[in-house]
Structure formats: structure tokens, C-alpha cells
Amino acid sequence: MFESTFNTILTVCIGIIAVCMVIGLVTMLRTKDELTRAVLADFIFYSMVCLYFIWTLFHDTFIGYEIAILAALVCGAIPTLSMSRIISRGRR
């Protein structure tokens, strides 16, 4: 009983995240502002990481925690640097 309810909730979450990711992708393709595109690219990356983490709840993996640590490092450092470069328009 509990397992099927949990799987249903996770499937609904995957659907919601996928729909939001598609909306973000369409918005990113339609906008002309570079800063908005950078923020939406980070949003798509975060949603892909969330989809992977939900997928790991369905399937057993040995590297799930390593991917989480790597994603935390990438999500923290690289978007901050890239957004600062975009805001300053490449000036140092």
C-alpha cells in the first residue's frame, strides 16, 4: 500500500518537474536577454538534477551520492561565476 502510494507521488513529481523544465526551455528560447537565459539554464540544470535524484529512488545505484556531491559543487560554483561574467559583460 505505502510503496504504491509513494511511487505514485514520485511519478507525479517527475511529471511536474518535467513540465516546468519544458516551460523553462521554451522561455529560454524565446527571450533575448542574456541574464534571463543564464538563470533559466541554471533552472534547467537544477531540474535535471532533481529528476535524477527522484529516479534514484526508483532504481538502486552505487554512485547516487557521488552525483549528489558533484551536483552540489557544480550548482554552487559554476552558475555564480557564469552569471557574474554575464552581468559584467565579460569585463574583469
Side-chain angles (χ1 to χ4, degrees), residues 9 31 36 51:
I9 291 171
T31 188
T36 304
L51 285 176

Side-chain angles (χ1 to χ4, degrees), residues 3-68:
E3 185 175 326
S4 64
T5 305
F6 186 66
N7 287 345
T8 304
I9 291 171
L10 289 179
T11 304
V12 169
C13 288
I14 286 174
I16 291 170
I17 292 171
V19 167
C20 291
M21 190 168 57
V22 169
I23 291 171
L25 183 62
V26 169
T27 305
M28 185 172 73
L29 293 174
R30 290 180 133 188
T31 188
K32 303 289 186 216
D33 184 27
E34 292 88 11
L35 183 60
T36 304
R37 283 188 177 181
V39 170
L40 287 170
D42 291 341
F43 169 73
I44 290 171
F45 178 75
Y46 295 141
S47 58
M48 287 171 53
V49 171
C50 289
L51 285 176
Y52 174 75
F53 290 150
I54 295 173
W55 180 84
T56 59
L57 293 174
F58 283 119
H59 306 349
D60 292 332
T61 62
F62 290 108
I63 64 166
Y65 295 115
E66 288 84 3
I67 297 293

Side-chain angles (χ1 to χ4, degrees), residues 38 42 45-46 73-86:
D42 291 341
F45 178 75
Y46 295 141
L73 289 173
V74 170
C75 289
I78 293 177
T80 304
L81 294 173
S82 66
M83 227 176 307
S84 66
R85 295 286 288 192
I86 290 171

